[in-house]
């Protein structure tokens, strides 16, 4: 039997077993909010990465570390992880790569020798200041389709959804004491690696 015919037979067999028609399915992926948010995040991430990946040859984790240090000046790796929602392993690798490229420096924390204070070098600061206008221009182009009223409503809804998502994550962690916490930490909220983003 030809592969194409076999595929049609399988579909017909599934229909004969009483599977619901697509329009009657209880869960439709394209109308499922977490999936919709994931699609938007993936597309925005892919488009934005071209702003910095092509110019500077850095990936998402490095981008997040760069922008965070550009904003705050000095931070520990742990603080960067909390701010960027990245697992400590990704932060550590990004920091090591940026240190190799002389984009940031470490300074020992005398109060806690297990961690270091991180800050951008002159080259890192230059990269941040060069990429910032391009990133802001991208954000402007992304949202220019929204009216001011729609933008305000969107920002409000996004803030509420972010807060609610954090609550649901906390609930799920509390309910899964038997599950390896590190695996939960590594799991991206949108079901795929958001670190393609931005």
């Amino acid at each position: 039997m030809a592969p194409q015919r076999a595929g049609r037979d399988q579909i017909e067999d599934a229909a004969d077993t009483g599977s619901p028609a697509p329009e009657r399915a209880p869960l439709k992926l394209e109308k499922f909010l977490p999936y919709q948010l994931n699609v938007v995040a993936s597309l925005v991430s892919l488009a934005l990465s071209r702003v910095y990946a092509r110019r500077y040859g850095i990936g998402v984790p490095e981008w997040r570390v760069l922008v965070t240090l550009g904003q705050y000046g000095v931070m520990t790796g742990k603080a960067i992880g909390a701010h960027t929602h990245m697992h400590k392993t990704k932060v550590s690798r990004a920091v090591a790569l940026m240190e190799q490229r002389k984009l940031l420096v470490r300074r020992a924390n005398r109060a806690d020798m297990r961690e270091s204070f991180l800050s951008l070098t002159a080259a890192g600061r230059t990269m941040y200041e060069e990429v910032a206008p391009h990133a802001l221009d991208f954000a402007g182009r992304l949202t220019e389709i929204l009216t001011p009223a729609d933008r305000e409503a969107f920002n409000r809804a996004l803030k509420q959804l972010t807060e609610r998502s954090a609550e649901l994550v906390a609930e799920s962690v509390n309910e899964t004491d038997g599950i390896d916490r590190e695996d939960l930490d590594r799991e991206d909220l949108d079901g795929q690696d958001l670190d393609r983003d931005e």
Side-chain angles (χ1 to χ4, degrees), residues 47-58:
L48 178 57
S49 70
R50 294 178 180 176
V51 171
Y52 55 82
R54 289 180 179 175
R55 281 186 175 89
Y56 303 106
I58 59 174

PDB file of all heavy atoms in Angstrom, residues 47-58:
ATOM      1  N   ALA A  47      12.769  37.187  15.446  1.00  0.00           N
ATOM      2  CA  ALA A  47      12.990  38.467  14.767  1.00  0.00           C
ATOM      3  C   ALA A  47      13.976  39.337  15.534  1.00  0.00           C
ATOM      4  O   ALA A  47      14.874  39.944  14.946  1.00  0.00           O
ATOM      5  CB  ALA A  47      11.654  39.199  14.594  1.00  0.00           C
ATOM      6  N   LEU A  48      13.834  39.385  16.861  1.00  0.00           N
ATOM      7  CA  LEU A  48      14.716  40.233  17.656  1.00  0.00           C
ATOM      8  C   LEU A  48      16.141  39.715  17.674  1.00  0.00           C
ATOM      9  O   LEU A  48      17.094  40.505  17.666  1.00  0.00           O
ATOM     10  CB  LEU A  48      14.178  40.342  19.090  1.00  0.00           C
ATOM     11  CG  LEU A  48      15.019  41.157  20.070  1.00  0.00           C
ATOM     12  CD1 LEU A  48      15.235  42.583  19.564  1.00  0.00           C
ATOM     13  CD2 LEU A  48      14.388  41.170  21.446  1.00  0.00           C
ATOM     14  N   SER A  49      16.295  38.393  17.668  1.00  0.00           N
ATOM     15  CA  SER A  49      17.652  37.839  17.719  1.00  0.00           C
ATOM     16  C   SER A  49      18.486  38.306  16.538  1.00  0.00           C
ATOM     17  O   SER A  49      19.714  38.402  16.633  1.00  0.00           O
ATOM     18  CB  SER A  49      17.613  36.313  17.762  1.00  0.00           C
ATOM     19  OG  SER A  49      17.185  35.775  16.526  1.00  0.00           O
ATOM     20  N   ARG A  50      17.826  38.619  15.442  1.00  0.00           N
ATOM     21  CA  ARG A  50      18.572  39.093  14.274  1.00  0.00           C
ATOM     22  C   ARG A  50      19.162  40.474  14.500  1.00  0.00           C
ATOM     23  O   ARG A  50      20.109  40.873  13.826  1.00  0.00           O
ATOM     24  CB  ARG A  50      17.657  39.093  13.049  1.00  0.00           C
ATOM     25  CG  ARG A  50      17.258  37.675  12.676  1.00  0.00           C
ATOM     26  CD  ARG A  50      16.319  37.592  11.517  1.00  0.00           C
ATOM     27  NE  ARG A  50      15.996  36.189  11.245  1.00  0.00           N
ATOM     28  CZ  ARG A  50      15.145  35.784  10.336  1.00  0.00           C
ATOM     29  NH1 ARG A  50      14.507  36.662   9.597  1.00  0.00           N
ATOM     30  NH2 ARG A  50      14.918  34.505  10.158  1.00  0.00           N
ATOM     31  N   VAL A  51      18.614  41.212  15.457  1.00  0.00           N
ATOM     32  CA  VAL A  51      19.141  42.540  15.774  1.00  0.00           C
ATOM     33  C   VAL A  51      20.537  42.415  16.377  1.00  0.00           C
ATOM     34  O   VAL A  51      21.428  43.184  16.077  1.00  0.00           O
ATOM     35  CB  VAL A  51      18.202  43.288  16.747  1.00  0.00           C
ATOM     36  CG1 VAL A  51      18.843  44.568  17.262  1.00  0.00           C
ATOM     37  CG2 VAL A  51      16.868  43.584  16.067  1.00  0.00           C
ATOM     38  N   TYR A  52      20.735  41.411  17.252  1.00  0.00           N
ATOM     39  CA  TYR A  52      22.025  41.318  17.939  1.00  0.00           C
ATOM     40  C   TYR A  52      22.878  40.130  17.503  1.00  0.00           C
ATOM     41  O   TYR A  52      24.089  40.203  17.541  1.00  0.00           O
ATOM     42  CB  TYR A  52      21.833  41.283  19.457  1.00  0.00           C
ATOM     43  CG  TYR A  52      20.917  40.184  19.953  1.00  0.00           C
ATOM     44  CD1 TYR A  52      21.374  38.887  20.130  1.00  0.00           C
ATOM     45  CD2 TYR A  52      19.589  40.441  20.248  1.00  0.00           C
ATOM     46  CE1 TYR A  52      20.538  37.881  20.591  1.00  0.00           C
ATOM     47  CE2 TYR A  52      18.744  39.446  20.710  1.00  0.00           C
ATOM     48  CZ  TYR A  52      19.229  38.170  20.875  1.00  0.00           C
ATOM     49  OH  TYR A  52      18.397  37.178  21.324  1.00  0.00           O
ATOM     50  N   ALA A  53      22.244  39.040  17.063  1.00  0.00           N
ATOM     51  CA  ALA A  53      23.030  37.851  16.704  1.00  0.00           C
ATOM     52  C   ALA A  53      23.905  38.118  15.488  1.00  0.00           C
ATOM     53  O   ALA A  53      25.082  37.762  15.457  1.00  0.00           O
ATOM     54  CB  ALA A  53      22.113  36.661  16.453  1.00  0.00           C
ATOM     55  N   ARG A  54      23.335  38.741  14.485  1.00  0.00           N
ATOM     56  CA  ARG A  54      24.105  38.998  13.256  1.00  0.00           C
ATOM     57  C   ARG A  54      25.177  40.057  13.471  1.00  0.00           C
ATOM     58  O   ARG A  54      26.280  39.954  12.943  1.00  0.00           O
ATOM     59  CB  ARG A  54      23.158  39.428  12.136  1.00  0.00           C
ATOM     60  CG  ARG A  54      22.292  38.291  11.615  1.00  0.00           C
ATOM     61  CD  ARG A  54      21.366  38.755  10.519  1.00  0.00           C
ATOM     62  NE  ARG A  54      20.563  37.660  10.003  1.00  0.00           N
ATOM     63  CZ  ARG A  54      19.599  37.814   9.112  1.00  0.00           C
ATOM     64  NH1 ARG A  54      19.310  39.014   8.634  1.00  0.00           N
ATOM     65  NH2 ARG A  54      18.910  36.772   8.682  1.00  0.00           N
ATOM     66  N   ARG A  55      24.837  41.080  14.252  1.00  0.00           N
ATOM     67  CA  ARG A  55      25.805  42.159  14.464  1.00  0.00           C
ATOM     68  C   ARG A  55      26.934  41.751  15.395  1.00  0.00           C
ATOM     69  O   ARG A  55      28.090  42.122  15.201  1.00  0.00           O
ATOM     70  CB  ARG A  55      25.106  43.386  15.068  1.00  0.00           C
ATOM     71  CG  ARG A  55      24.338  44.228  14.086  1.00  0.00           C
ATOM     72  CD  ARG A  55      23.828  45.496  14.773  1.00  0.00           C
ATOM     73  NE  ARG A  55      23.184  46.379  13.822  1.00  0.00           N
ATOM     74  CZ  ARG A  55      21.892  46.317  13.508  1.00  0.00           C
ATOM     75  NH1 ARG A  55      21.126  45.414  14.072  1.00  0.00           N
ATOM     76  NH2 ARG A  55      21.385  47.151  12.620  1.00  0.00           N
ATOM     77  N   TYR A  56      26.578  41.010  16.467  1.00  0.00           N
ATOM     78  CA  TYR A  56      27.544  40.786  17.536  1.00  0.00           C
ATOM     79  C   TYR A  56      27.857  39.316  17.800  1.00  0.00           C
ATOM     80  O   TYR A  56      28.721  39.024  18.624  1.00  0.00           O
ATOM     81  CB  TYR A  56      27.034  41.441  18.825  1.00  0.00           C
ATOM     82  CG  TYR A  56      26.781  42.915  18.638  1.00  0.00           C
ATOM     83  CD1 TYR A  56      25.484  43.414  18.545  1.00  0.00           C
ATOM     84  CD2 TYR A  56      27.841  43.814  18.526  1.00  0.00           C
ATOM     85  CE1 TYR A  56      25.248  44.765  18.363  1.00  0.00           C
ATOM     86  CE2 TYR A  56      27.601  45.164  18.346  1.00  0.00           C
ATOM     87  CZ  TYR A  56      26.302  45.635  18.259  1.00  0.00           C
ATOM     88  OH  TYR A  56      26.079  46.968  18.072  1.00  0.00           O
ATOM     89  N   GLY A  57      27.153  38.412  17.157  1.00  0.00           N
ATOM     90  CA  GLY A  57      27.450  37.001  17.333  1.00  0.00           C
ATOM     91  C   GLY A  57      27.189  36.482  18.738  1.00  0.00           C
ATOM     92  O   GLY A  57      27.925  35.625  19.229  1.00  0.00           O
ATOM     93  N   ILE A  58      26.156  36.998  19.382  1.00  0.00           N
ATOM     94  CA  ILE A  58      25.803  36.510  20.714  1.00  0.00           C
ATOM     95  C   ILE A  58      24.421  35.857  20.667  1.00  0.00           C
ATOM     96  O   ILE A  58      23.599  36.175  19.814  1.00  0.00           O
ATOM     97  CB  ILE A  58      25.817  37.634  21.772  1.00  0.00           C
ATOM     98  CG1 ILE A  58      24.826  38.745  21.408  1.00  0.00           C
ATOM     99  CG2 ILE A  58      27.216  38.180  21.966  1.00  0.00           C
ATOM    100  CD1 ILE A  58      24.681  39.810  22.478  1.00  0.00           C
TER     101      ILE A  58
END
